[in-house]
């Protein structure tokens, strides 16, 4: 009888050892990777110049990020278990934030107390309140800076965790990129070259160190294998090695992470959507468009952070000047349409006459307008233009609404003088005027058939008791001015638009911006019999301090408006007077003298009744003020939309974490094992085998198992065989040899990385993806423990059952004995 | 009775000799290679058998070669004996062989007027017992003491065997007429049992060629001296056995005892001999420590002939070898560290 076939003894490899690297020495490379990432993040934060004013905010960010990163780096240097440095970093993060911002409330200046948390909450609230109404660049108040410093510190922790414990240094580029993403979105000039350069350089340095860390393993293996020159390695092996640092999948993952990061970031950073970072909620993918339908872009113009498309004008008007581009007249229940009467436009710009009779005394004003980069087919003019001189190109005026239209984009860089004629109206005159749709377009009086009852009842209730058309208009305006102005609330609650359903929602929520206010007033005015239209243009701007000399008129003060002044307002038609603008939007524009009432916040008893019936509370009426510096106002009901978004983000994050968890656990296990010498290396080999469908059996001897793994051998000169032989030899000597043998751990680690690559190369892409997503070995130990426990339980149950059976038989047999 | 003797055997009264000095590993390897090479020159295509035989010699065990007639059992024994420069005796066991023929006898010397000990055939370094199952139980058992204790006691005086001492016994499993099958106790004293098996086609052809002129046995030159073999035995003894390997060996032995398919499992002596054989195998493999692989590899050779199948298992057509293989495949490898991922069930 002969012995059963056992695997051949491992091929002896000449035991040539290079200088041994002390495995317990300082791990400076992982530590350096983390520090470089911190530098990269701080460098990226430089690009926040322009989002926040001045540079005072940079110092706290530098302190928090570097303190956190340094704590993690020290942990890595000391080779603490894998999660410990990150946990230490988190603690230092909290301490440094406390120290920088809330020192007075903390214990010893750094340890947060209950007071600190309370103070932090207050600071955050205060920050939101101030930030929400400040234009970019925002003032660097404590709240914003603390928020930013905290976010960047966390980014540093996460980036380091990706780079070092998860061994994905390339992916860690997400950290500085996510920091750069915010200014890239907010600042029209992009993140800025300096910030980007600093971030990129430090990131590349981190990559280089990480690669050097990996390369030191490889060189030690080459030394052992006896190939002195890397160039002597077989070509395919070399190629695969060179590509191992940044693989195509890694690049794809980076891109995916960037996209995901820019999507998740707005949800993660409070305030990103409101206040200082309003543009984050809506990206304008096609640039600053002022297209044929001005409503499309008005909302995002208003939300835009920067004043783009500055128009300067100088006027001799004694009243604030609204620049009007176009009116929208027809409302089909879904959208307001601009005029579509190009064929009736007339080309003589010096004799523009409204087709309506004027009975009131007229006031003529002269305005010099310089459109600059404002791009539109329409020319902004103060209503009602009578003559325009100095425009380049061909423009035509519409007899019905007097809008001036040229080619698309024709308004760019125009300088012209407009003479406008408006009736000098007073409340008395208006009160006597009748409203009827004679002499104007029919569409100005049409309301769609399907009107929500809320809109109709509101219109009727508000105007009940008003004697004249003018009184009705004033009642409507007064009622609407009790609402809250918010550019974000409609976006967040999903009623940003112009349709009838939006109108109903707006009346319900009592929050919106000029489009909603003007549309609501226009529709309700039509409901009570006043023809109406919506004018689109710019609210009165702010004086630049300069002046313009106009020939024949004199020196006129100069004003400027930009995209943030974009506005829409209703115009109501009064016979004999023409189109009279009203201002139902609180805090925007300027309330004309004729439209002012003594009790602006709703002294009408009807309003009180209405409020009882509709909504118990109405926001306080903000004082009207120029739009450039909106007064602090009670926040729109913004908390409610915040929560589902946050919950969704949390859900997405939790899902992502769950998806990444097995791989992260696996990576951590691998790292821990490789730090445990040859024992750990062998365990890792078994884990790799388990992952790739060659699980170790309990009765496998080391070389029997190694023999089974030899199936991974590819045509690359027996590297797998050699690595298996090395690892088996070291492990056998360590495990079964004489005590005191000091195994060559470097060789074992090198063998593991070779075998890890070989195992991947030997499996199909699908299998690789499956293993990467859900490595079977990650949870083998708990699963085995569970299996053992259940087996023990089954055995115990069986025994119990047998014992019970015996007892039962004994009892049953007793009477027969 | 048929006893052939070659070489000179010193007969010494029992006393403890100095322990053999271990041979350095490089010389050990070279000597092993030499011995195996010269055996393989004679026995074509039986490298496994000759290697096992050398393993048993170095582990100070005895070898039982069991196979049908004419496959080279005796040839293997003789060749191994000849490659080592030591005394060899061959006993052809027959039913009428007496114990004293094996051990020796005291004869009254007229001249000196004293009883004089005439050593039996067992007084040699290598004893070849041909067809051991043909001798009577009494004669067989006379061999027991010699094999186990390396000494002979005649008329109250004990005589030590010369070292190295190895019994290579052959037996024929086919011809059962007039034989006395080795009792369990005696089988247990053989460290290993091997079967020769038929040579393959090429080896058989080669054999015809080499055996045409004269017996190749005559051309065998000793490759090692007895003292060298003692040194090698010392080397084997110094092979390190770690705790996990000991645990594994014991676990293997216990598994044969608790198996439902075996009526008789491995004795503690068997476990001891298994470990010794494993040490020899490790040394032959160039290692100074034993691997579980050594134990697993030696287990079928060392244990199979000691196992007795359960009646039901035998009825089911199982063999002791098959049952043992299953047991080896099922006993988990004890390990200090790395086996945490394995299912331990």
């Amino acid at each position: 009888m002969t012995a059963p076939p056992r695997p051949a003894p491992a091929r002896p490899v000449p035991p040539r050892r290079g200088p041994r690297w002390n495995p317990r020495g300082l791990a400076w490379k992982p530590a350096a990777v983390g520090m470089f990432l911190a530098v990269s993040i701080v460098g990226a934060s430089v690009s926040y110049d322009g989002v926040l004013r001045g540079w005072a905010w940079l110092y706290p960010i530098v302190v928090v990020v570097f303190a956190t990163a340094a704590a993690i780096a020290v942990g890595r240097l000391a080779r603490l278990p894998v999660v410990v440095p990150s946990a230490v970093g988190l603690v230092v993060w909290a301490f440094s934030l406390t120290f920088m911002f809330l020192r007075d409330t903390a214990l010893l200046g750094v340890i947060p107390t209950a007071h600190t948390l309370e103070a932090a909450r207050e600071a955050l609230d205060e920050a939101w309140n101030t930030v929400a109404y400040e234009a970019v660049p925002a003032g660097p108040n404590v709240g914003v800076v603390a928020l930013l410093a905290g976010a960047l510190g966390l980014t540093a922790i996460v980036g380091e965790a990706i780079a070092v414990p998860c061994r994905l240094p390339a992916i860690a580029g997400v950290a500085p990129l996510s920091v750069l993403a915010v200014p890239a979105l907010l600042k029209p000039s992009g993140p800025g070259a300096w910030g980007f350069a600093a971030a990129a350089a430090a990131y590349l340095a981190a990559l280089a160190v990480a690669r050097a860390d990996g390369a030191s393993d490889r060189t030690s293996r080459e030394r052992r294998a006896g190939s002195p020159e890397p160039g002597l390695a077989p070509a395919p092996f070399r190629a695969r090695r060179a590509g191992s640092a940044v693989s195509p999948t890694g690049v794809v993952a980076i891109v995916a992470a960037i996209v995901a990061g820019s999507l998740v970031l707005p949800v993660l950073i409070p305030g990103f959507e409101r206040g200082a970072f309003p543009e984050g909620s809506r990206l304008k993918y096609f640039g600053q468009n002022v297209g044929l339908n001005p409503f499309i872009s008005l909302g995002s113009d208003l939300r835009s952070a920067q004043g783009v498309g500055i128009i300067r004008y100088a006027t001799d008007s004694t009243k604030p000047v609204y620049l009007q581009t176009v009116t929208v007249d027809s409302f089909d229940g879904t959208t307001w349409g601009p005029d579509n009467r190009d064929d009736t436009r007339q080309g003589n710009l010096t004799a523009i006459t409204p087709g309506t009779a004027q009975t009131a005394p007229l006031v003529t004003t002269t305005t010099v307008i310089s459109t600059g980069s404002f791009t539109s087919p329409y020319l902004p003019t103060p209503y009602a233009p009578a003559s325009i001189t100095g425009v380049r190109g061909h423009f035509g005026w519409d007899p019905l609404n007097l809008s001036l239209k040229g080619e698309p984009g024709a308004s760019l860089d125009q300088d012209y003088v407009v003479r406008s004629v408006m009736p000098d109206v007073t409340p008395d005159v208006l009160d006597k005027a009748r409203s009827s749709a004679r002499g104007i377009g029919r569409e100005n009086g049409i309301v769609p058939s399907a009107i929500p009852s809320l809109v109709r009842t509101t219109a009727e209730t508000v105007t009940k008791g008003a004697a004249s058309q003018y009184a009705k208009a004033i009642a409507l305006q007064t009622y609407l001015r009790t609402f809250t102005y918010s550019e974000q609330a409609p976006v967040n609650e999903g009623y940003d638009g112009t349709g009838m359903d939006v109108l109903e929602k707006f009346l319900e929520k009592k929050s919106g911006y000029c489009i909603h206010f003007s549309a609501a007033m226009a529709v309700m005015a039509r409901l009570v019999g006043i023809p109406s239209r919506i004018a689109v243009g710019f609210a009165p701007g702010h004086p630049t301090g300069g002046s313009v000399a106009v020939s024949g008129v004199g020196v006129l003060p100069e004003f400027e408006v930009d995209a943030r002044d974009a506005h829409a307002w209703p115009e109501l038609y009064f016979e004999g007077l023409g189109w009279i603008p009203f201002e139902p939007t609180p805090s925007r524009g300027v309330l004309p003298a004729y439209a002012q009432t003594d009790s602006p916040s709703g002294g009408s008893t009807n309003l009180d009744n209405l409020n009882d019936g509709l909504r118990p509370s109405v926001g306080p009426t903000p004082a009207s003020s120029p739009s450039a510096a909106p007064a602090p106002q009670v926040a729109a009901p913004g908390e409610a939309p915040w929560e589902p978004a946050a919950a969704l983000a949390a859900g997405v994050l939790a899902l992502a974490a769950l998806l990444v968890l097995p791989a992260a656990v696996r990576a951590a296990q691998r790292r821990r094992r490789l730090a445990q010498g040859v024992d750990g290396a062998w365990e890792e080999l078994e884990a790799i085998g388990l992952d790739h469908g060659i699980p170790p059996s309990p009765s496998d001897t080391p070389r029997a198992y190694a023999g089974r793994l030899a199936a991974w051998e590819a045509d690359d000169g027996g590297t797998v065989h050699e690595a298996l032989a090395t690892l088996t030899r070291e492990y056998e000597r360590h495990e079964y040899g004489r005590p005191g043998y000091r195994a060559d751990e470097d060789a074992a680690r090198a063998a593991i990385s070779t075998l890890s690559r070989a195992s991947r190369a030997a499996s199909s892409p699908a299998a690789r993806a499956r293993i990467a997503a859900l490595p079977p070995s990650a949870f083998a130990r708990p699963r085995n423990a569970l299996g053992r426990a259940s087996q023990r339980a089954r055995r115990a149950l069986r025994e119990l059952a047998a014992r019970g059976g015996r007892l039962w038989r004994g009892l049953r047999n007793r009477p027969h004995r | 009775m048929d006893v052939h003797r070659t070489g000179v055997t010193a007969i010494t009264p029992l006393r403890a000799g100095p322990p053999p000095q271990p041979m350095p590993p490089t010389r050990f390897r070279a000597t092993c290679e030499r011995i195996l090479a010269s055996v393989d020159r004679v026995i074509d295509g039986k490298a496994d058998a000759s290697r096992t035989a050398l393993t048993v010699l170095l582990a100070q065990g005895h070898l039982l070669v069991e196979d049908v007639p004419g496959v080279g059992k005796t040839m293997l024994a003789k060749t191994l004996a000849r490659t080592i420069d030591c005394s060899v005796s061959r006993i052809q066991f027959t039913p009428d062989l007496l114990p004293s023929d094996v051990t020796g006898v005291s004869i009254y010397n007229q001249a000196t007027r004293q009883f004089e000990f005439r050593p039996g055939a067992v007084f040699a370094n290598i004893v070849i017992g041909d067809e051991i199952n043909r001798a009577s139980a009494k004669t067989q058992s006379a061999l027991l003491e010699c094999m186990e204790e390396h000494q002979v006691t005649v008329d109250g005086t004990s005589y030590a065997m010369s070292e190295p001492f190895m019994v290579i016994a052959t037996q024929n499993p086919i011809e059962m007429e007039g034989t006395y099958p080795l009792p369990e106790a005696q089988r247990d004293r053989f460290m290993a049992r091997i079967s020769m098996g038929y040579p393959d086609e090429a080896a058989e052809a080669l054999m015809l060629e080499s055996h045409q002129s004269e017996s190749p046995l005559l051309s065998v030159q000793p490759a090692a001296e007895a003292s060298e073999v003692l040194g090698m035995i010392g080397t084997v003894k110094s092979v390190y056995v770690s705790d996990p390997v000991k645990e594994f060996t014991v676990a293997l032995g216990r598994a044969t005892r608790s198996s439902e398919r075996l009526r008789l499992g491995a004795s503690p002596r068997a476990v001891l001999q298994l470990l010794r054989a494993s040490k020899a195998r490790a040394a032959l493999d160039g290692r100074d420590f034993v691997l579980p692989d050594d134990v697993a590899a030696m287990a079928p050779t060392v244990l199979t002939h000691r196992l007795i199948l359960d009646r039901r298992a035998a009825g089911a057509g199982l063999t002791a070898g098959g049952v043992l293989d299953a047991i080896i495949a099922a006993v988990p490898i004890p390990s200090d560290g790395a086996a945490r991922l394995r299912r331990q069930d």
Side-chain angles (χ1 to χ4, degrees), chain B:
Chain B
M1 190 195 113
D2 181 11
V3 177
H4 302 276
R5 299 190 59 156
T6 54
V8 183
T9 308
I11 299 163
T12 50
L14 185 65
R15 63 181 156 77
Q21 287 297 312
M23 187 183 270
T26 46
R27 247 186 85 203
F28 182 91
R29 276 182 78 98
T31 316
C32 286
E33 300 291 329
R34 265 205 321 275
I35 294 173
L36 288 176
S38 46
V39 173
D40 287 346
R41 261 204 298 280
V42 180
I43 313 287
D44 297 314
K46 290 290 163 209
D48 278 351
S50 51
R51 199 175 170 87
T52 308
L54 181 60
T55 307
V56 171
L57 170 66
L58 296 183
Q60 294 183 288
H62 307 287
L63 185 66
L64 184 61
V65 187
E66 188 176 74
D67 218 325
V68 292
V71 289
K73 301 186 294 284
T74 313
M75 190 65 120
L76 172 71
K78 277 183 175 175
T79 315
L80 183 64
R82 276 190 177 240
T83 51
I84 295 157
D85 190 13
C86 60
S87 62
V88 178
S89 70
R90 176 166 176 268
I91 312 170
Q92 182 67 48
F93 282 81
T94 53
D96 60 345
L97 189 73
L98 294 176
S100 56
D101 297 330
V102 175
T103 58
V105 65
S106 293
I107 295 170
Y108 185 72
N109 190 331
Q110 292 284 353
T112 59
R113 299 190 171 195
Q114 276 186 336
F115 277 99
E116 203 171 76
F117 181 62
R118 287 285 184 91
V122 83
F123 282 89
N125 290 114
I126 292 178
V127 178
I128 300 167
D130 247 353
E131 303 202 69
I132 190 170
N133 53 342
R134 289 193 178 276
S136 65
K138 195 178 180 185
T139 312
Q140 285 174 354
S141 64
L143 203 55
L144 289 184
E145 191 194 359
C146 317
M147 285 168 63
E148 179 64 19
E149 293 162 25
H150 288 214
Q151 69 177 37
V152 171
T153 305
V154 177
D155 295 339
T157 313
S158 293
Y159 300 94
M161 319 297 295
S162 57
E163 297 290 344
F165 175 64
M166 181 189 189
V167 174
I168 304 176
T170 69
Q171 72 174 350
N172 184 346
I174 300 276
E175 205 177 335
M176 304 308 276
E177 188 79 9
T179 58
Y180 304 86
L182 282 178
E184 284 87 15
Q186 197 151 358
R187 283 209 301 264
D188 201 26
R189 308 216 166 181
F190 286 98
M191 176 177 272
R193 182 189 67 173
I194 57 172
S195 305
M196 295 296 289
Y198 291 108
D200 59 25
E201 205 176 335
E204 203 161 352
L206 195 67
M207 180 201 75
L208 290 183
E209 183 65 34
S210 61
H211 286 248
Q212 216 162 23
S213 52
E214 59 175 352
S215 170
L217 203 56
L218 298 176
S219 68
V220 171
Q221 294 299 314
E225 295 191 357
S227 62
E228 283 181 301
V229 172
L230 281 180
M232 291 165 80
I233 288 171
T235 306
V236 167
K237 276 184 176 169
S238 72
V239 167
Y240 174 76
V241 184
S242 61
D243 287 344
V245 171
K246 285 178 196 157
E247 279 171 38
F248 178 60
T249 315
V250 170
L252 212 54
R254 295 184 72 86
T256 61
R257 287 171 222 159
S258 63
S259 169
E260 288 176 357
R261 292 170 176 177
L262 295 176
R263 190 148 57 89
L264 183 69
S267 63
R269 171 168 38 208
V271 173
L272 182 64
Q273 292 195 339
L274 174 59
L275 191 58
R276 275 195 203 158
S278 303
K279 284 166 83 167
R281 184 180 186 271
L284 271 175
D285 208 23
R287 271 178 283 114
D288 66 343
F289 58 94
V290 180
L291 290 179
D293 301 82
D294 296 321
V295 179
M298 291 313 294
T301 322
V302 175
L303 297 185
T304 309
H305 63 282
R306 305 166 207 253
L307 305 179
I308 298 178
L309 271 182
D310 185 73
R311 207 173 295 117
R312 267 176 304 175
L318 296 176
T319 62
V323 171
L324 184 62
D325 284 347
I327 289 173
I328 293 169
V331 173
I333 304 287
S335 156
D336 291 341
R340 285 181 286 253
L341 287 178
R342 304 173 174 207
R343 279 178 300 104
Q344 303 282 348
D345 44 20

